[in-house]
Amino acid sequence: MRLSRYFLPVLKETPADAAIVSHRYMLRAGMMKQAQAGIYSWLPLGFKVLRKLENIVHEEQVRAGHIPMLMPTLQSADLWRESGRYEDYGEEMLRITDRHGRDMLYGPTNEELITDIFRSHVSSYKDLPLTLYHIQWKFRDERRPRFGVMRGREFLMKDGYNFDLDKDAALHAYNRHLVSYLRTYERMGLQAIPMRADGGPIGGDYTHEFLVLADTGESEVFYDSAVTDLTFGDRQIDYDDVAQCQGVLEEFTTRYARTDETHDEALFNEVPEDRRRVARGIEVGQIFYFGTKYSEALGAKVQGPDGKPTAVHMGSHGIGVSRLVGAIIEASHDDKGIIWSEGVTPFHCGIVNLKQGDAAADAACESLYSELTNAGLEPLYDDRDERAGGKFATMDLIGLPWRITVGPRGLKNGVVELTSRRTGESEEMTPDAAVKKVVAIYTGK
C-alpha cells in the first residue's frame, strides 16, 4: 500500500479523554474513531490488525477440532427467561422491544442460543463430542465505558461452546481450549497467564482467565513468578490425546496464579517469598466448565448408551478479539508509539523515501515495494512529499516491526538502512539483501 493513497488520519495531539496508552495510540495512529461512548469505528489500520487477530483465533480453533459458525447479535428474551438469566444478568444487558412487542436483547454472550441450536438438532450421544464457536460482535452496557477498546460497550469476541456426554469428556474439552489459547496468544506475541478465576454470571466451578501483565490492567493478580518462565513454543499437540492435554493444563496451572476474586493468602504464602508477585493484569480470555447448568434448564438432552435421556455437559470459552488489540499495545509500546510483533502487524515492513522526487530514490523504493509485494508481503510505502522527520514519526507511531529507509546519500554507496522497531538497531545493506532479510523473517526462506 502507498501511503499517499491510504486512509491514515494520524493525530499529532493526544485526545484529552484518552487515559491509557492503548487508547491514546489507537486514536493517534488513526486506528479507530469514537462513534459514541464505548463504541468505535474501526478505521483501515485498526481493522487490518483486528482481522489478523481474528484469523489467528480461527486457525487455532480449527486446529483444535472446533467448528466455526455464526449466530445473530439479537436474541429472543424468551430463551433467557427459560434459562433464568434474563432478570439475573443485570443492567449490562441491552434489552429491546421490536415493532411486534417481542422482547429481545443484544447478546452479551450466547449460551442460551447455542443450547437451543443443539437441542433442536442433536439427539444421540453418537453425535458427541461437539464444539461449535463463532466470532461475533457483542454488547454489554457498561455504566462507565472507558479506556478505549479495553472497556467498551461493543466488542468483537470469539465464544465457543462444547457439548459432551459426561464430565470427563467435558473437562477434556476444557483442557483442549486451554492448549489452543496458549498457542493463540503466543502467536500474537503475548504471554497470557492462565489464572484461577470466578465464574461470574456465566457460572461454573472450573474456570481460568487468561491475563496479560500490564500496569493498566483492571485486575489485581497474585502469582508465582515461575509461571512467567513457561512457554508453549512449537510443540506439537494431539488434541484427541487426553493425557497430553491434561499434562499441558497441569504444567501451566499448577503454580500459584489467581485474580483478586479467588486469591487465597494462605496458599500464596506457600510460594517462596522471592517468587511472590503482585501486579495488574488485562483479561483477554476465559474458559468455563459449568456441567449441566444450561442443558438442564433448556432441555438439551441426548439418548445415552443405555438408551436413557441424559443432559449433556457443557462449557463456554471466550477470547476478546477487539480487546486484544488494546492489550497488545499496552504490553508492547514505547514513548514513540506502538511496537507490533511480526505475527499481528498491519503491514510487514515500512518503506521510507527520504527524498521524494529524486529519480534514484524513487526508483529504488519502487523496486523494493515490488519485490516485497511479489514475495507475498504487504509493505507500506511512505511516498508522501513530507519531511523525513514526519515520516519517521509516523512509522514509529504505527509500530511496523521493520523499516527500510532509502535516501540519495546511501544509494550512492549502494545501500539502504534496515531498522528494527523493537530494538531501534539499524543496519546498512544492499536493497536486495534488505528484501531477502525481511522475507526470511516472515517466511523462513
Side-chain angles (χ1 to χ4, degrees):
M1 178 58 67
R2 300 172 191 276
L3 194 48
S4 62
R5 300 179 187 175
Y6 197 55
F7 182 60
L8 187 67
V10 169
L11 304 178
K12 293 183 179 179
E13 303 297 327
T14 299
D17 61 342
I20 62 172
V21 168
S22 60
H23 194 189
R24 292 198 297 269
Y25 282 157
M26 289 183 73
L27 291 172
R28 286 197 54 216
M31 295 179 67
M32 67 180 189
K33 183 183 185 302
Q34 180 171 298
Q36 53 184 288
I39 301 175
Y40 296 90
S41 296
W42 289 78
L43 305 182
L45 192 74
F47 186 62
K48 280 181 71 68
V49 176
L50 192 65
R51 282 290 175 257
K52 289 240 177 156
L53 301 184
E54 185 179 348
N55 287 338
I56 291 172
V57 172
H58 269 306
E59 288 168 5
E60 292 304 329
Q61 286 300 296
V62 171
R63 186 196 299 267
H66 307 156
I67 304 169
M69 59 178 296
L70 185 63
M71 289 176 275
T73 56
L74 295 179
Q75 301 180 32
S76 168
D78 291 342
L79 280 174
W80 287 66
R81 290 192 177 105
E82 203 176 338
S83 73
R85 283 208 301 174
Y86 185 69
E87 299 301 336
D88 293 346
Y89 204 89
E91 294 182 354
E92 284 190 355
M93 180 188 289
L94 182 63
R95 294 163 171 85
I96 305 164
T97 302
D98 70 11
R99 67 171 65 192
H100 302 290
R102 291 178 294 225
D103 291 332
M104 306 183 75
L105 57 99
Y106 194 130
T109 183
N110 284 71
E111 282 80 11
E112 283 79 2
L113 192 55
I114 195 70
T115 306
D116 180 55
I117 292 169
F118 177 88
R119 71 182 178 182
S120 299
H121 299 288
V122 179
S123 58
S124 170
Y125 76 96
K126 295 178 181 179
D127 295 320
L128 303 179
L130 179 66
T131 296
L132 303 168
Y133 79 93
H134 74 157
I135 298 178
Q136 177 63 292
W137 291 96
K138 303 286 191 295
F139 189 92
R140 294 177 188 168
D141 202 3
E142 291 274 356
R143 183 183 298 274
R144 294 180 59 223
R146 53 192 176 134
F147 303 152
V149 298
M150 300 299 293
R151 188 171 291 180
R153 293 194 292 165
E154 186 181 53
F155 54 95
L156 187 65
M157 180 177 172
K158 171 263 160 180
D159 44 318
Y161 305 90
N162 66 282
F163 300 88
D164 291 277
L165 185 61
D166 54 33
K167 182 177 181 179
D168 287 344
L171 288 180
H172 174 55
Y174 184 95
N175 297 348
R176 194 171 63 239
H177 274 87
L178 181 136
V179 175
S180 71
Y181 279 21
L182 291 172
R183 285 186 55 95
T184 298
Y185 296 126
E186 286 196 12
R187 282 187 61 185
M188 295 175 181
L190 286 172
Q191 182 178 48
I193 303 170
M195 297 193 179
R196 182 72 62 85
D198 181 72
I202 292 178
D205 296 328
Y206 292 79
T207 178
H208 283 86
E209 286 180 353
F210 292 79
L211 289 105
V212 174
L213 300 178
D215 293 339
T216 51
E218 73 271 53
S219 300
E220 187 174 30
V221 297
F222 303 80
Y223 63 96
D224 179 341
S225 64
V227 302
T228 60
D229 297 328
L230 299 174
T231 58
F232 190 83
D234 296 327
R235 69 181 84 175
Q236 298 300 310
I237 292 290
D238 178 356
Y239 283 101
D240 292 326
D241 189 322
V242 173
Q244 195 175 25
C245 291
Q246 176 68 22
V248 174
L249 175 126
E250 292 174 359
E251 177 185 350
F252 280 84
T253 64
T254 299
R255 295 174 178 83
Y256 192 92
R258 297 195 178 195
T259 63
D260 51 359
E261 295 171 318
T262 60
H263 176 55
D264 185 320
E265 191 67 23
L267 287 177
F268 187 52
N269 287 335
E270 293 178 8
V271 176
E273 186 174 0
D274 63 329
R275 300 205 321 249
R276 287 180 219 152
R277 300 287 186 272
V278 181
R280 309 295 298 181
I282 299 169
E283 181 199 341
V284 292
Q286 190 164 3
I287 57 177
F288 302 84
Y289 161 71
F290 40 67
T292 60
K293 174 180 177 178
Y294 296 95
S295 56
E296 291 278 10
L298 295 167
K301 297 184 179 182
V302 297
Q303 184 182 50
D306 59 0
K308 297 179 180 179
T310 181
V312 294
H313 287 247
M314 293 176 57
S316 67
H317 317 274
I319 287 180
V321 181
S322 53
R323 170 179 268 241
L324 271 166
V325 180
I328 289 169
I329 295 171
E330 292 293 332
S332 183
H333 67 271
D334 60 18
D335 59 0
K336 295 179 181 179
I338 302 163
I339 304 174
W340 297 116
S341 70
E342 283 81 2
V344 301
T345 179
F347 294 95
H348 297 105
C349 180
I351 301 171
V352 171
N353 189 340
L354 294 180
K355 194 170 183 181
Q356 201 71 35
D358 178 85
D362 290 354
C365 288
E366 290 291 343
S367 178
L368 288 165
Y369 183 78
S370 295
E371 289 182 37
L372 289 168
T373 301
N374 291 338
L377 302 186
E378 283 189 281
L380 179 64
Y381 172 23
D382 192 342
D383 59 343
R384 300 172 300 160
D385 187 12
E386 184 74 51
R387 61 183 181 84
K391 292 186 175 186
F392 288 142
T394 297
M395 286 293 176
D396 285 340
L397 176 61
I398 67 175
L400 308 185
W402 297 94
R403 184 187 76 224
I404 301 175
T405 305
V406 180
R409 183 179 301 176
L411 289 174
K412 287 180 180 178
N413 298 318
V415 297
V416 296
E417 188 176 72
L418 180 63
T419 303
S420 164
R421 175 70 180 88
R422 186 167 298 279
T423 67
E425 296 177 355
S426 296
E427 183 180 359
E428 288 189 340
M429 59 184 68
T430 66
D432 184 57
V435 169
K436 288 181 178 178
K437 183 168 183 176
V438 173
V439 169
I441 288 168
Y442 287 102
T443 67
K445 299 178 181 177

